[in-house]
Amino acid sequence: MLMINRDELITRIIEAWTGTSRGELSAVEVVDSLTDDVRDRCETMVDVFLNFVGEVAAGERRIVLH
């Protein structure tokens, strides 16, 4: 079973977008520091991504790279 920590995934996405490291902050601290609107958007994006991954894993979707 694959266990994914939502806060860690959100933090890594933010690091990739911004090009900055979280430094000594934990993933929980990073997510807690977000405004409610940004946190909601990040959580929605992570949910959509994980649903897509689940559909691919279940064979409901295929990934074709162009």
Side-chain angles (χ1 to χ4, degrees), residues 6-15 18 20-35 38-39 42:
R6 175 186 277 180
D7 289 346
E8 185 67 33
L9 187 54
I10 289 171
T11 300
R12 289 179 184 236
I13 290 169
I14 291 170
E15 286 177 323
T18 62
T20 59
S21 172
R22 65 179 136 173
E24 299 295 320
L25 295 175
S26 71
V28 171
E29 291 170 321
V30 171
V31 172
D32 283 347
S33 71
L34 301 174
T35 64
V38 172
R39 184 181 311 116
C42 288

Side-chain angles (χ1 to χ4, degrees), residues 46-63:
V46 166
D47 289 344
V48 168
F49 171 73
L50 292 176
N51 285 337
F52 176 75
V53 169
E55 290 172 359
V56 170
E60 297 171 13
R61 290 188 184 260
R62 280 185 17 182
I63 296 177

